[in-house]
Amino acid sequence: GTCNNSRCIAHTDPAVEDLERGTVVCNKGVGALYRPNEDYDFGDIYCPACLTTFLPARVAFRECSVKIDFCFKGERPTTLQLRAPWTDRCAELGNEDVFKLYTSLLID
């Protein structure tokens, strides 16, 4: 996502390219049920540099196998099984250009 704090190093570091300025990652790890909606509501998704909460734009998976239960607003619930390979590439859920409202999102 994008850190909302314009004074954060994510915005001010001269080494950061203009297209990526403000972009941050919240690493949640694996091994437990992850509920991004609730984590956001309770302030558990935050910039690692300045601790300002931010709205996640997408979820990336690397070196794991997950089950994702989700429901977009106005649609039926769906379950997705995802296996992210043991490589340098990530599998992604979401798209920064298209914001979708999840009424439910559980990652196990």
Side-chain angles (χ1 to χ4, degrees):
T2 302
C3 180
N4 295 316
N5 178 359
S6 61
R7 294 175 303 200
C8 177
I9 193 168
H11 290 278
T12 62
D13 185 348
V16 176
E17 295 182 27
D18 286 341
L19 291 175
E20 296 182 4
R21 199 162 297 282
T23 300
V24 292
V25 174
C26 178
N27 186 355
K28 298 305 272 185
V30 295
L33 183 63
Y34 174 45
R35 298 171 176 259
N37 291 2
E38 287 84 351
D39 281 4
Y40 177 75
D41 289 343
F42 287 97
D44 291 334
I45 297 179
Y46 52 86
C47 173
C50 71
L51 306 181
T52 299
T53 59
F54 68 91
L55 185 64
R58 64 180 177 235
V59 179
F61 302 93
R62 184 169 170 245
E63 300 178 358
C64 65
S65 179
V66 296
K67 179 180 122 183
I68 305 166
D69 294 311
F70 65 96
C71 185
F72 293 122
K73 186 174 184 178
E75 297 181 17
R76 296 181 61 83
T78 304
T79 297
L80 173 70
Q81 295 280 354
L82 179 69
R83 180 168 279 136
W86 297 88
T87 66
D88 290 338
R89 303 189 80 191
C90 294
E92 295 181 357
L93 176 65
N95 180 334
E96 288 185 69
D97 299 326
V98 180
F99 186 80
K100 295 280 262 182
L101 180 61
Y102 291 92
T103 55
S104 176
L105 179 58
L106 306 171
I107 302 170
D108 191 10

